[in-house]
Amino acid sequence: MTDKANGEVTQGETRGETRDLTHALPENDAVTHGGQESHLYNRDVQAWVRKAANRGIYDIRGMGAKRKVPHFDDLVFLTASASRYPLEGYRERCDTRTVLGARNAKRPLELDTPITIAGMSFGSLSANVKEALGRGASAVGTSTTTGDGGMTDEERRSSKMLVYQCLPSRYGFNPDDLRRADAVEVVIGQGAKPGGGGMLLGQKISERVASMRTLPAGIDQRSASRHPDWTGPDDLTIKIEELREITDWEIPVYVKIGATRVENDVKLAVKAGADVVVVDGMQGGTAATQDVYIEHAGIPTLAAVVQANAALEELDVKGEVQLVVSGGIRTGADVAKAIALGADAVSIGQAVLLALGCNDHVWYKDGKTPVSAVKDYEELGTKPGMCHHMQTGRCPVGITTQDPELEKRVDPEWGAKRVRNYLQVLNMEVATLARACGKSDVHHLEREDLVALTIESAAMAKVPLAGTDWIPGVTGF
Amino acid sequence: MEQEVRSRKALEWDLGESPVRELNNYLHHGLAEDGVEEVRVLKPDGAHHIAVGLDAPVKVEVMGNAGYYVGGMNKRAEITVHGSAGWSVAENIMSGVVRIEGYVSECAGASGHGGLVVIEKDASSRCGISMKGNDIVVGGDVGHFSAFMAQKGHLVVCGDAGDGLGDSLYEAVIYVRGRIKSLGADAQEEPMTEEDHATLADLLGRAGFDHDPGEFKRVASARKLYHWNSEHDQEY
Ligand code: SF4
């Protein structure tokens, strides 16, 4: 919460404050002040209610779920020892090559790493950032993804492999860009807002963004939540076929879902003909949506990957249809655990923004000299480390903005290097863990390599609680 | 390609013999080499995806009923279906003309960026949903939620319109000759201007209808949903 959490806010003030209802305040003043703070109606809740009463409109913000939910941190690897032997950490080969979309496409994506960059729109991100992502990803042999604003020439030029999203809004969607894409991703939902459409508030609708989206500049724009030309899985089958016909069956078709009824949705996506299913858990980020969606809709990524994998196993399409998992993937350990639970690859959004300086207290002038951004965070009513204000378009470090001055805060060359470095570290970490588990290919990581530290994560991941052979819901009670 | 070339410039394609995938591939890559300017598609039998993703100044005549997505993402081609068609006719059309002589199912001309879609009879619900600059002329009625979130372009309805017409409209304009069952959120009826008369006359002329533009009403956005405002009753 920010220091505006006392509810003394007025209409028209910076939008996008959020509240944290998941923890009570640390101190209780019962003794000194003759009262007692309610757990249910703690001061955060009280402030939120006053704010709602004051504003009459709900909170809109960026990033993903901030509440604590079971995650990959709750799992650890049983690396090799006497019963299995490890590979030499530095010398022995451990393959990270990842092929996506060979099921029906003539030209599947051949990546050097299982780590890809998730869809983020031009409009929410600046052109410089899009370019940095493309160049950074290309340097490590992976793909980037367009977003809810169409494809820009900058990102096409800078991305060796570019996945073109087909979203409900269809902003800027056109056959020329479709034909120059390396894959197309039909987005049904997003982990941050499954069942909801995106938003882009007026301050980010610059002339260029407006013209790409065919909208008046400066309006508060709400993207549709359903596709305009199909509804339901049977129609999706036909839609996917149409995309294949238009692209002469050359490029893979991904289907992306927000993690809710994952088993059913994955099965329907596979039946509809998807080459790749992308499952985005509730921690997945967004540039702007209602806070109530971000924190209260969808299931954690950990649970989602397990259910998605079960669906693929049941349909007997493992190896034929690839699973890409996103939503809170931050480290090589997260990647390795996702793969061990059944993912073929992951995609990353928020963490690459962090790599570019999101939430840092400084930005780097010309990619070199650090300049404090603390005042700019303060102007948004927040501080470094706490920010989720992309909806304002006033990103203190110049990432999620269309402001010509602010966007200069990310130098594309500097940014490309940061993204490359970050992805490289993740890839090295995955391979390190895989070697330690005795695998010569990161995709050989398996569920048996994992145990859980908590009962919840054991139940969700369907792996034993560490030191026991107990898998809640599977073995015993 | 085992089809018979009737003349240097016209070609008959029997879908009973060579399926849609081959047809589309030919329309994408084979036309120029053969110098073909007109393709008659025989025995369409409701097949989906006929003539999708074209980008050539070719005439395509579909001699019967088509399924979903006929003329999808069309650029430059002039496609005529001598029959009825399924869902999402000419979805995301960029330019050219897609004409359906019969009836169409839902979402005709959805999300189009340019070009003209003509439906000579009725169109089902959500006709012109999300349109972004294309023009649609419907000879008969349109179903509910037509022009939902339509951003740019024109939807002309020579018959009646169903419930929720133009819900959450942006800058697209709708002209209706018949009865409007109900308007959607933020859509309003407005007086016809001279410019509207001229636009409409042109669209009706290109679509082949001779109605008097004076018989039409104009529906456009009241623009009250363009900005967040807690004083408005907005179901965001
Ligand atoms: S620093 Fe910028 S990118 Fe990061 S959360 Fe804040 S506004 Fe968003």
Side-chain angles (χ1 to χ4, degrees):
Chain A
M1 300 292 295
T2 71
D3 52 1
K4 290 186 181 162
N6 60 8
E8 306 298 328
V9 284
T10 52
Q11 194 127 356
E13 199 169 344
T14 306
R15 291 169 284 190
E17 296 290 329
T18 188
R19 81 278 193 194
D20 182 355
L21 307 185
T22 57
H23 67 86
L25 292 177
E27 53 184 304
N28 193 315
D29 297 338
V31 179
T32 44
H33 294 99
Q36 184 177 2
E37 182 172 10
S38 163
H39 178 80
L40 193 59
Y41 294 97
N42 63 43
R43 276 171 279 183
D44 280 351
V45 176
Q46 293 173 24
W48 182 82
V49 171
R50 281 194 291 271
K51 189 166 64 170
N54 188 10
R55 291 183 177 176
I57 194 148
Y58 47 41
D59 294 326
I60 296 166
R61 71 168 175 93
M63 304 293 269
K66 293 193 170 187
R67 64 155 81 206
K68 184 166 163 45
V69 294
H71 197 44
F72 296 115
D73 285 341
D74 301 322
L75 306 179
V76 287
F77 278 102
L78 302 179
T79 45
S81 55
S83 54
R84 295 179 177 205
Y85 63 89
L87 298 190
E88 227 21 275
Y90 296 103
R91 291 186 207 100
E92 284 183 275
R93 189 175 163 74
C94 180
D95 209 345
T96 57
R97 196 172 153 271
T98 303
V99 178
L100 300 178
R103 186 188 192 192
N104 294 297
K106 289 182 208 153
R107 281 194 287 127
L109 257 68
E110 295 186 13
L111 312 175
D112 294 335
T113 163
I115 305 154
T116 67
I117 302 217
M120 289 177 280
S121 72
F122 168 70
S124 90
L125 301 184
S126 72
N128 279 356
V129 170
K130 273 291 195 186
E131 187 185 331
L133 292 177
R135 287 166 60 179
S138 300
V140 297
T142 193
S143 59
T144 52
T145 311
T146 65
D148 199 3
M151 184 189 288
T152 64
D153 286 339
E154 291 97 323
E155 71 180 328
R156 179 59 280 187
R157 264 200 312 272
S158 57
S159 306
K160 208 167 104 201
M161 283 170 281
L162 182 58
V163 181
Y164 188 33
Q165 286 193 327
C166 175
L167 290 126
S169 71
R170 304 287 167 87
Y171 293 138
F173 197 69
N174 70 76
D176 300 330
D177 288 343
L178 179 58
R179 282 186 277 256
R180 63 179 181 153
D182 298 293
V184 57
E185 178 172 293
V186 179
V187 179
I188 297 178
Q190 218 182 310
K193 47 183 186 243
M199 293 175 164
L200 199 63
L201 299 187
Q203 50 272 52
K204 289 178 84 171
I205 311 262
S206 67
E207 288 292 342
R208 183 176 178 199
V209 172
S211 79
M212 279 181 73
R213 297 180 183 220
T214 331
L215 287 168
I219 70 164
D220 290 336
Q221 169 260 301
R222 301 151 293 145
S223 300
S225 58
R226 282 198 310 267
H227 282 262
D229 57 343
W230 62 272
T231 44
D234 293 338
D235 290 349
L236 174 59
T237 310
I238 308 172
K239 179 68 197 173
I240 288 177
E241 259 176 38
E242 188 218 13
L243 293 166
R244 291 196 196 282
E245 285 292 325
I246 292 170
T247 54
D248 297 315
W249 295 70
E250 293 273 340
I251 60 173
V253 179
Y254 299 11
V255 171
K256 177 173 179 174
I257 57 172
T260 52
R261 294 172 182 83
V262 177
E263 276 200 67
N264 288 344
D265 290 345
V266 168
K267 284 183 197 165
L268 291 170
V270 170
K271 189 180 158 287
D275 299 315
V276 174
V277 183
V278 182
V279 177
D280 192 21
M282 73 176 287
Q283 300 100 311
T286 177
T289 199
Q290 295 95 327
D291 175 72
V292 70
Y293 262 138
I294 301 179
E295 297 290 353
H296 298 279
I299 64 170
T301 306
L302 176 62
V305 58
V306 174
Q307 288 202 331
N309 182 60
L312 297 180
E313 277 177 351
E314 197 184 318
L315 295 178
D316 201 17
V317 291
K318 287 285 290 179
E320 185 185 340
V321 175
Q322 283 77 46
L323 173 63
V324 177
V325 168
S326 57
I329 305 285
R330 308 150 298 171
T331 61
D334 288 346
V335 180
K337 290 168 189 175
I339 291 174
L341 291 174
D344 294 280
V346 299
S347 67
I348 300 190
Q350 291 167 95
V352 282
L353 300 189
L354 292 172
L356 286 168
C358 161
N359 267 296
D360 198 353
H361 65 289
V362 291
W363 55 277
Y364 293 88
K365 195 166 171 17
D366 303 322
K368 287 190 194 87
T369 322
V371 180
S372 173
V374 175
K375 271 216 172 66
D376 301 301
Y377 284 100
E378 275 167 11
E379 271 174 29
L380 294 176
T382 186
K383 46 187 165 185
M386 316 278 278
C387 185
H388 53 222
H389 289 275
M390 22 282 255
Q391 80 286 350
T392 63
R394 306 292 312 159
C395 176
V397 290
I399 297 172
T400 49
T401 185
Q402 288 298 316
D403 182 285
E405 279 310 307
L406 281 176
E407 75 175 6
K408 286 188 197 141
R409 295 185 180 186
V410 177
D411 175 73
E413 188 149 352
W414 170 87
K417 202 167 161 206
R418 303 270 301 196
V419 171
R420 189 203 69 189
N421 285 349
Y422 171 64
L423 294 177
Q424 195 168 292
V425 169
L426 261 53
N427 204 45
M428 283 157 58
E429 283 189 343
V430 186
T432 299
L433 283 168
R435 283 194 192 96
C437 289
K439 319 288 187 190
S440 59
D441 186 317
V442 294
H443 297 98
H444 295 166
L445 285 164
E446 57 198 319
R447 184 180 308 193
E448 289 214 332
D449 296 322
L450 292 170
V451 291
L453 300 176
T454 65
I455 295 172
E456 285 87 350
S457 59
M460 283 186 192
K462 295 196 169 52
V463 300
L465 187 64
T468 77
D469 56 6
W470 181 39
I471 306 175
V474 177
T475 58
F477 294 99
Chain B
M1 233 263 314
E2 295 160 15
Q3 305 295 320
E4 177 201 348
V5 179
R6 286 191 314 174
S7 72
R8 212 183 68 78
K9 294 194 169 170
L11 171 81
E12 282 195 347
W13 189 288
D14 186 343
L15 277 183
E17 282 175 24
S18 306
V20 170
R21 201 192 297 192
E22 285 173 31
L23 168 68
N24 283 329
N25 206 283
Y26 179 74
L27 293 170
H28 297 165
H29 306 291
L31 282 177
E33 203 176 305
D34 293 353
V36 167
E37 290 168 353
E38 188 179 330
V39 178
R40 280 164 69 87
V41 179
L42 310 179
K43 302 208 197 90
D45 290 344
H48 303 316
H49 323 306
I50 294 173
V52 295
L54 302 200
D55 186 4
V58 62
K59 265 192 174 169
V60 179
E61 308 272 329
V62 180
M63 308 309 291
N65 299 324
Y68 280 42
Y69 296 119
V70 60
M73 295 197 109
N74 186 55
K75 277 179 86 178
R76 301 193 284 162
E78 212 177 288
I79 300 166
T80 304
V81 176
H82 299 280
S84 292
W87 275 53
S88 303
V89 165
E91 67 87 19
N92 219 115
I93 181 173
M94 305 302 290
S95 61
V97 182
V98 176
R99 175 183 292 272
I100 313 294
E101 290 186 346
Y103 298 86
V104 298
S105 189
E106 301 191 25
C107 311
S111 267
H113 288 70
L116 176 66
V117 182
V118 182
I119 314 296
E120 295 194 358
K121 300 279 175 38
D122 300 332
S124 181
S125 55
R126 289 178 283 165
C127 178
I129 178 173
S130 184
M131 56 197 278
K132 295 168 171 60
N134 55 326
D135 295 313
I136 305 176
V137 182
V138 180
D141 304 337
V142 296
H144 69 271
F145 257 58
S146 287
F148 175 56
M149 290 182 94
Q151 296 170 225
K152 195 178 163 197
H154 305 92
L155 170 63
V156 180
V157 183
C158 299
D160 300 336
D163 270 321
L165 179 71
D167 194 283
S168 306
L169 259 184
Y170 290 102
E171 295 295 294
V173 175
I174 310 170
Y175 302 109
V176 185
R177 181 159 162 266
R179 206 168 57 90
I180 298 169
K181 197 162 176 214
S182 69
L183 289 173
D186 211 32
Q188 66 181 12
E189 239 183 271
E190 293 175 355
M192 292 278 286
T193 63
E194 256 176 47
E195 202 188 318
D196 288 318
H197 277 95
T199 305
L200 188 50
D202 173 59
L203 287 171
L204 289 168
R206 284 200 283 142
F209 296 104
D210 55 11
H211 303 299
D212 173 5
E215 295 171 3
F216 286 76
K217 301 177 264 294
R218 174 191 155 101
V219 173
S221 175
R223 299 174 180 162
K224 288 196 179 124
L225 297 181
Y226 278 17
H227 297 280
W228 304 88
N229 185 340
S230 62
E231 299 307 313
H232 285 139
D233 182 18
Q234 295 176 117
E235 295 284 324
Y236 283 116

